Amino acid sequence: MKRKVTKAIFPVAGLGTRFLPATKSIPKEIMTLVDRPLIQYAIDEARAAGIKEFIFVTSRGKGALEDYFDHAHELEATLKKSGKDDLLETLRTTNMESGAIAYIRQHRALGLGHAVWCARRLIGNEPFAVILPDDVIAADKPCLQQMVEAHAEVGGNMVAAMEVAPDKASSYGVLDIREDMGAMVSVKGMVEKPKAAEAPSNLAVIGRYILTPKVLQNLNRMKSGAGGEIQLTDAIAEEIAKSGNVYGYRFRGQRFDCGSKAGFLQATVAFGLARDELRDEFQRFLFSMTAVQKAAE
Ligand code: G1P
């Protein structure tokens, strides 16, 4: 029987310089889409996929993340006393069971592969997930859950994948497809941020992974790749030759690049419109803004 995926790594050590000055004093992952921090979306997705242990790879200045997942007893008591049960429920989604969450420091910013490697001792010898909270995915069935189900069939290593405009492929890990089976593709190569002319396809890696512990062993060698960083993509690509077991999974859902300002704004609009209590007023506002914009042109 294939081992269940119950652990997930959340690499959250990045400085978030693209969002300065906001990120001068708050971690990027605490920035909110409507009223929930980016990290909450990632945690909810992981929970829906059956993840029980949450491993954060952090860095200096990320204390607010630890506080966020702490139980706020006083606040809970106040809400309870005033009968605000809805808010109490909302607040409780941020609570973590004791011992279910761990924080590891990445002492030097050596790349995504290195960040994941920092969590190796907490992973041990079992498959694990990696979630990049910058990639927010709106989907009927959460993306990682779709992947866990697909992974239960094929095992091995699996990355979320999405077609991107060919001129954007150089911003991603890109898959070289061996066999296209529809939602799933088997992979014969993977390149991190290829030059536009060298991209093997326009099927890009999005920040959801289910990996075997062998990838962590590959990272032991600390080989640096694109941008001089230790790349997760390279460590996964090594498994293609070794085990042949690497798959891309075209998830169903809409991905927002919340690592960029434009993507963050788009996500804000999409998640705002998805909320029943906000939709009508927000939609009216967006229409009126569009009309003003058109009139000005
Ligand atoms: C990382 C990965 C890249 C992947 C991307 C998805 O890059 O290294 O392979 O395509 O996330 O968002 P980053 O965006 O951190 O540079």
Side-chain angles (χ1 to χ4, degrees):
M1 210 186 82
K2 292 196 188 76
R3 195 113 182 232
K4 269 192 156 178
V5 185
T6 59
K7 295 181 179 177
I9 300 176
F10 300 82
V12 291
L15 291 175
T17 46
R18 279 200 234 170
F19 286 94
L20 279 170
T23 46
K24 182 182 173 201
S25 65
I26 54 159
K28 175 175 66 168
E29 299 77 15
I30 293 288
M31 294 196 339
T32 53
L33 289 177
V34 190
D35 50 13
R36 284 146 33 96
L38 283 187
I39 197 65
Q40 184 73 46
Y41 290 85
I43 290 289
D44 289 350
E45 188 179 325
R47 279 184 174 141
I51 298 298
K52 305 278 183 248
E53 291 179 50
F54 305 82
I55 303 163
F56 285 73
V57 182
T58 69
S59 59
R60 279 159 60 149
K62 297 279 179 167
L65 270 174
E66 297 193 29
D67 292 342
Y68 180 78
F69 289 113
D70 225 346
H71 293 222
H73 299 292
E74 278 176 22
L75 189 52
E76 284 189 19
T78 311
L79 292 175
K80 203 166 181 178
K81 222 162 114 192
S82 49
K84 294 188 170 149
D85 293 344
D86 288 3
L87 287 178
L88 195 58
E89 262 321 294
T90 306
L91 190 64
R92 286 194 172 143
T93 62
T94 66
N95 289 355
M96 284 283 185
E97 195 197 325
S98 299
I101 189 160
Y103 302 92
I104 293 276
R105 282 265 172 118
Q106 183 188 23
H107 297 114
R108 287 197 295 158
L110 295 178
L112 177 60
H114 178 260
V116 168
W117 175 83
C118 287
R120 66 200 177 284
R121 292 203 176 91
L122 294 178
I123 295 296
N125 194 28
E126 53 185 289
F128 60 99
V130 177
I131 296 189
L132 309 187
D134 273 1
D135 282 333
V136 175
I137 300 173
D140 289 338
K141 183 185 280 187
C143 178
L144 190 65
Q145 190 182 351
Q146 296 176 35
M147 289 173 70
V148 162
E149 288 172 8
H151 185 260
E153 306 286 322
V154 295
N157 296 282
M158 185 176 281
V159 300
M162 180 182 101
E163 258 81 28
V164 296
D167 64 327
K168 294 279 186 296
S170 53
S171 306
Y172 295 90
V174 179
L175 302 181
D176 194 355
I177 300 169
R178 187 200 309 274
E179 193 188 348
D180 199 329
M181 298 166 277
M184 195 117 69
V185 301
S186 75
V187 167
K188 64 175 178 201
M190 274 174 91
V191 200
E192 181 67 14
K193 307 210 168 72
K195 291 199 188 94
E198 287 162 18
S201 75
N202 66 334
L203 190 57
V205 177
I206 300 302
R208 303 288 183 275
Y209 306 77
I210 298 176
L211 302 175
T212 59
K214 293 201 174 106
V215 171
L216 297 172
Q217 289 165 22
N218 297 342
L219 286 165
N220 276 335
R221 286 200 304 286
M222 298 285 148
K223 234 173 76 192
S224 61
E229 295 190 344
I230 297 164
Q231 297 291 355
L232 185 58
T233 298
D234 296 343
I236 301 169
E238 275 188 46
E239 282 309 298
I240 299 170
K242 288 183 183 161
S243 66
N245 256 344
V246 179
Y247 301 93
Y249 183 80
R250 289 189 183 97
F251 56 93
R252 293 173 304 281
Q254 191 176 6
R255 173 255 185 179
F256 297 94
D257 174 11
C258 290
S260 79
K261 287 175 200 168
F264 201 99
L265 287 171
Q266 287 159 16
T268 301
V269 172
F271 282 90
L273 289 174
R275 295 279 280 265
D276 291 341
E277 74 279 23
L278 297 174
R279 187 177 307 113
D280 289 350
E281 189 182 345
F282 192 35
Q283 210 161 36
R284 273 199 302 276
F285 169 75
L286 290 175
F287 278 134
S288 71
M289 285 298 282
T290 320
V292 169
Q293 200 79 36
K294 276 215 177 105
E297 277 167 13

